[in-house]
PDB file of all heavy atoms in Angstrom:
ATOM      1  N   PRO N 650      20.697 -19.385 -72.085  1.00  0.00           N
ATOM      2  CA  PRO N 650      19.665 -19.405 -71.200  1.00  0.00           C
ATOM      3  C   PRO N 650      20.075 -19.864 -69.821  1.00  0.00           C
ATOM      4  O   PRO N 650      20.439 -20.983 -69.658  1.00  0.00           O
ATOM      5  CB  PRO N 650      18.514 -20.120 -71.457  1.00  0.00           C
ATOM      6  CG  PRO N 650      19.041 -20.671 -72.684  1.00  0.00           C
ATOM      7  CD  PRO N 650      20.320 -20.210 -73.137  1.00  0.00           C
ATOM      8  N   LEU N 651      19.700 -19.064 -68.780  1.00  0.00           N
ATOM      9  CA  LEU N 651      19.864 -19.441 -67.416  1.00  0.00           C
ATOM     10  C   LEU N 651      18.458 -19.730 -67.030  1.00  0.00           C
ATOM     11  O   LEU N 651      17.496 -18.924 -67.213  1.00  0.00           O
ATOM     12  CB  LEU N 651      20.256 -18.286 -66.728  1.00  0.00           C
ATOM     13  CG  LEU N 651      21.582 -18.341 -66.533  1.00  0.00           C
ATOM     14  CD1 LEU N 651      22.376 -17.217 -66.049  1.00  0.00           C
ATOM     15  CD2 LEU N 651      21.710 -19.432 -65.509  1.00  0.00           C
ATOM     16  N   ILE N 652      18.090 -20.844 -66.669  1.00  0.00           N
ATOM     17  CA  ILE N 652      16.820 -21.171 -66.213  1.00  0.00           C
ATOM     18  C   ILE N 652      16.880 -21.026 -64.628  1.00  0.00           C
ATOM     19  O   ILE N 652      17.523 -21.700 -63.994  1.00  0.00           O
ATOM     20  CB  ILE N 652      16.486 -22.584 -66.551  1.00  0.00           C
ATOM     21  CG1 ILE N 652      16.525 -22.766 -68.027  1.00  0.00           C
ATOM     22  CG2 ILE N 652      15.042 -22.937 -66.088  1.00  0.00           C
ATOM     23  CD1 ILE N 652      16.332 -24.221 -68.521  1.00  0.00           C
ATOM     24  N   CYS N 653      16.053 -20.064 -64.215  1.00  0.00           N
ATOM     25  CA  CYS N 653      16.120 -19.684 -62.903  1.00  0.00           C
ATOM     26  C   CYS N 653      14.971 -20.126 -62.096  1.00  0.00           C
ATOM     27  O   CYS N 653      13.877 -20.041 -62.449  1.00  0.00           O
ATOM     28  CB  CYS N 653      16.449 -18.173 -62.828  1.00  0.00           C
ATOM     29  SG  CYS N 653      17.872 -17.582 -63.565  1.00  0.00           S
ATOM     30  N   LEU N 654      15.198 -20.386 -60.753  1.00  0.00           N
ATOM     31  CA  LEU N 654      14.260 -20.796 -59.804  1.00  0.00           C
ATOM     32  C   LEU N 654      14.364 -19.905 -58.634  1.00  0.00           C
ATOM     33  O   LEU N 654      15.279 -19.590 -58.084  1.00  0.00           O
ATOM     34  CB  LEU N 654      14.483 -22.168 -59.420  1.00  0.00           C
ATOM     35  CG  LEU N 654      13.595 -22.751 -58.219  1.00  0.00           C
ATOM     36  CD1 LEU N 654      12.185 -22.838 -58.761  1.00  0.00           C
ATOM     37  CD2 LEU N 654      14.022 -24.156 -57.923  1.00  0.00           C
ATOM     38  N   LEU N 655      13.182 -19.189 -58.370  1.00  0.00           N
ATOM     39  CA  LEU N 655      13.170 -18.241 -57.345  1.00  0.00           C
ATOM     40  C   LEU N 655      13.148 -18.723 -55.942  1.00  0.00           C
ATOM     41  O   LEU N 655      13.392 -18.023 -55.024  1.00  0.00           O
ATOM     42  CB  LEU N 655      12.009 -17.351 -57.451  1.00  0.00           C
ATOM     43  CG  LEU N 655      11.976 -16.444 -58.795  1.00  0.00           C
ATOM     44  CD1 LEU N 655      10.663 -15.572 -58.999  1.00  0.00           C
ATOM     45  CD2 LEU N 655      13.154 -15.481 -58.722  1.00  0.00           C
ATOM     46  N   THR N 656      13.006 -20.020 -55.773  1.00  0.00           N
ATOM     47  CA  THR N 656      13.018 -20.549 -54.376  1.00  0.00           C
ATOM     48  C   THR N 656      14.308 -21.190 -53.908  1.00  0.00           C
ATOM     49  O   THR N 656      14.405 -21.674 -52.813  1.00  0.00           O
ATOM     50  CB  THR N 656      11.934 -21.523 -54.333  1.00  0.00           C
ATOM     51  OG1 THR N 656      12.165 -22.543 -55.277  1.00  0.00           O
ATOM     52  CG2 THR N 656      10.522 -20.895 -54.617  1.00  0.00           C
ATOM     53  N   SER N 657      15.277 -21.266 -54.681  1.00  0.00           N
ATOM     54  CA  SER N 657      16.513 -21.744 -54.149  1.00  0.00           C
ATOM     55  C   SER N 657      17.707 -21.413 -55.131  1.00  0.00           C
ATOM     56  O   SER N 657      17.489 -20.799 -56.179  1.00  0.00           O
ATOM     57  CB  SER N 657      16.423 -23.356 -54.205  1.00  0.00           C
ATOM     58  OG  SER N 657      16.274 -23.911 -55.534  1.00  0.00           O
ATOM     59  N   SER N 658      18.890 -21.763 -54.772  1.00  0.00           N
ATOM     60  CA  SER N 658      20.041 -21.267 -55.547  1.00  0.00           C
ATOM     61  C   SER N 658      20.519 -22.351 -56.560  1.00  0.00           C
ATOM     62  O   SER N 658      21.337 -23.113 -56.199  1.00  0.00           O
ATOM     63  CB  SER N 658      21.203 -20.848 -54.513  1.00  0.00           C
ATOM     64  OG  SER N 658      20.815 -19.931 -53.698  1.00  0.00           O
ATOM     65  N   LEU N 659      19.911 -22.311 -57.751  1.00  0.00           N
ATOM     66  CA  LEU N 659      20.239 -23.435 -58.569  1.00  0.00           C
ATOM     67  C   LEU N 659      20.750 -22.847 -59.948  1.00  0.00           C
ATOM     68  O   LEU N 659      20.182 -21.828 -60.448  1.00  0.00           O
ATOM     69  CB  LEU N 659      19.027 -24.245 -58.915  1.00  0.00           C
ATOM     70  CG  LEU N 659      18.335 -24.884 -57.712  1.00  0.00           C
ATOM     71  CD1 LEU N 659      17.216 -25.728 -58.253  1.00  0.00           C
ATOM     72  CD2 LEU N 659      19.215 -25.656 -56.940  1.00  0.00           C
ATOM     73  N   SER N 660      21.657 -23.597 -60.620  1.00  0.00           N
ATOM     74  CA  SER N 660      22.106 -23.105 -61.926  1.00  0.00           C
ATOM     75  C   SER N 660      22.198 -24.359 -62.733  1.00  0.00           C
ATOM     76  O   SER N 660      22.959 -25.300 -62.238  1.00  0.00           O
ATOM     77  CB  SER N 660      23.400 -22.237 -61.895  1.00  0.00           C
ATOM     78  OG  SER N 660      23.204 -21.196 -61.244  1.00  0.00           O
ATOM     79  N   HIS N 661      21.738 -24.423 -63.918  1.00  0.00           N
ATOM     80  CA  HIS N 661      21.825 -25.604 -64.742  1.00  0.00           C
ATOM     81  C   HIS N 661      22.035 -25.237 -66.123  1.00  0.00           C
ATOM     82  O   HIS N 661      21.347 -24.340 -66.716  1.00  0.00           O
ATOM     83  CB  HIS N 661      20.546 -26.418 -64.709  1.00  0.00           C
ATOM     84  CG  HIS N 661      20.614 -27.641 -65.422  1.00  0.00           C
ATOM     85  ND1 HIS N 661      20.776 -28.962 -64.994  1.00  0.00           N
ATOM     86  CD2 HIS N 661      20.536 -27.858 -66.862  1.00  0.00           C
ATOM     87  CE1 HIS N 661      20.686 -29.694 -65.865  1.00  0.00           C
ATOM     88  NE2 HIS N 661      20.680 -29.227 -66.979  1.00  0.00           N
ATOM     89  N   ARG N 662      22.938 -25.817 -66.800  1.00  0.00           N
ATOM     90  CA  ARG N 662      23.298 -25.572 -68.155  1.00  0.00           C
ATOM     91  C   ARG N 662      23.328 -26.804 -68.986  1.00  0.00           C
ATOM     92  O   ARG N 662      23.886 -27.822 -68.695  1.00  0.00           O
ATOM     93  CB  ARG N 662      24.550 -24.864 -68.260  1.00  0.00           C
ATOM     94  CG  ARG N 662      25.170 -24.560 -69.624  1.00  0.00           C
ATOM     95  CD  ARG N 662      26.434 -23.905 -69.504  1.00  0.00           C
ATOM     96  NE  ARG N 662      27.217 -24.015 -70.757  1.00  0.00           N
ATOM     97  CZ  ARG N 662      28.504 -24.135 -70.793  1.00  0.00           C
ATOM     98  NH1 ARG N 662      29.218 -24.248 -69.776  1.00  0.00           N
ATOM     99  NH2 ARG N 662      29.059 -24.128 -71.997  1.00  0.00           N
ATOM    100  N   GLU N 663      22.771 -26.662 -70.140  1.00  0.00           N
ATOM    101  CA  GLU N 663      22.808 -27.809 -71.155  1.00  0.00           C
ATOM    102  C   GLU N 663      23.288 -27.099 -72.555  1.00  0.00           C
ATOM    103  O   GLU N 663      22.806 -26.111 -72.857  1.00  0.00           O
ATOM    104  CB  GLU N 663      21.371 -28.438 -71.348  1.00  0.00           C
ATOM    105  CG  GLU N 663      20.867 -29.278 -70.222  1.00  0.00           C
ATOM    106  CD  GLU N 663      21.537 -30.550 -70.066  1.00  0.00           C
ATOM    107  OE1 GLU N 663      22.064 -31.053 -71.011  1.00  0.00           O
ATOM    108  OE2 GLU N 663      21.317 -31.118 -68.970  1.00  0.00           O
TER     109      GLU N 663
END
Side-chain angles (χ1 to χ4, degrees):
L651 260 167
I652 303 172
C653 296
L654 175 60
L655 290 177
T656 57
S657 63
S658 304
L659 305 183
S660 297
H661 179 107
R662 173 181 165 216
E663 292 280 347

